[in-house]
């Protein structure tokens, strides 16, 4: 819980499930260019985060990956992200902006089966950073998101 910053090396490809769970002092993380996946609850309860920049090579964000990050205000998703698990920003009351670098053809699914199969999702516009905060923070908090 006393870890304040972390730099991931360029040979790290995965941040595993609950890797930094409850690292409440962690406020600065630099993701290496080779990271492709961030696991479920990986940064949950990292209450000192204020902003998160998901690198261009990250393709998958696991369920509740950044949930309960109470100071988190700004998020930028890299252009290769194509799957976001449920509740990724659940209980992050100070979110102000969620920006997608690639806004083309995102879908919202109501269950994990449709998410995994990339089927029966509802096409959703993610171009507006303010609307994204509402969608991810409350309205569709428990939805799954994917890009074809």
């Amino acid at each position: 819980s006393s870890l304040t910053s972390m730099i991931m090396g360029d040979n790290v490809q995965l941040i595993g499930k609950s890797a930094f769970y409850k690292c409440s002092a962690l406020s600065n993380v630099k993701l290496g260019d080779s990271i492709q996946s961030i696991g479920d609850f990986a940064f949950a309860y990292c209450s000192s985060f204020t902003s998160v920049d998901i690198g261009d090579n990250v393709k998958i964000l696991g369920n509740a990956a950044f949930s309960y990050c109470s100071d988190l205000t700004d998020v930028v998703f890299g252009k290769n992200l194509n799957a976001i698990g449920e509740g990724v920003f659940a209980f992050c009351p100070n979110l102000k902006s969620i920006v997608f670098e690639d806004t083309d053809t995102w879908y919202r699914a109501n269950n994990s089966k449709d998410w995994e199969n990339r089927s029966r999702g509802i096409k959703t516009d993610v171009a507006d950073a303010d609307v994204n905060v509402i969608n991810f923070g409350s309205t569709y908090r428990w939805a799954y998101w994917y890009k074809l």
Side-chain angles (χ1 to χ4, degrees):
S1 64
S2 62
L3 182 66
T4 59
S5 72
M6 170 65 70
I7 298 172
M8 302 284 172
D10 284 338
N11 57 351
V12 176
Q13 294 182 352
L14 164 72
I15 299 173
K17 181 178 181 179
S18 302
F20 297 97
Y21 183 81
K22 288 192 176 181
C23 286
S24 57
L26 187 61
S27 62
N28 183 17
V29 173
K30 169 69 174 129
L31 301 178
D33 289 337
S34 59
I35 293 180
Q36 297 177 19
S37 178
I38 298 175
D40 297 350
F41 300 97
F43 294 100
Y45 291 94
C46 289
S47 55
S48 294
F49 274 167
T50 56
S51 64
V52 174
D53 189 346
I54 307 298
D56 283 341
N57 293 321
V58 175
K59 296 175 184 171
I60 299 169
L61 281 182
N63 298 330
F66 293 93
S67 60
Y68 296 95
C69 291
S70 56
D71 289 346
L72 186 60
T73 58
D74 300 294
V75 177
V76 177
F77 290 136
K79 58 187 167 190
N80 291 314
L81 185 67
N82 63 31
I84 302 170
E86 71 171 339
V88 71
F89 298 112
F91 308 106
C92 295
N94 292 309
L95 272 175
K96 292 180 176 43
S97 174
I98 299 176
V99 175
F100 283 75
E101 288 187 17
D102 183 357
T103 60
D104 291 337
T105 324
W106 276 91
Y107 294 87
R108 184 184 74 246
N110 293 323
N111 61 65
S112 60
K113 183 177 180 180
D114 291 344
W115 180 61
E116 290 166 3
N117 294 328
R118 305 291 196 266
S119 65
R120 299 181 356 167
I122 299 165
K123 190 173 182 181
T124 304
D125 184 2
V126 296
D128 187 318
D130 296 331
V131 171
N132 292 338
V133 169
I134 295 167
N135 286 343
F136 282 90
S138 58
T139 307
Y140 303 111
R141 179 186 317 173
W142 303 113
Y144 298 81
W145 303 80
Y146 64 90
K147 185 175 182 282
L148 295 177

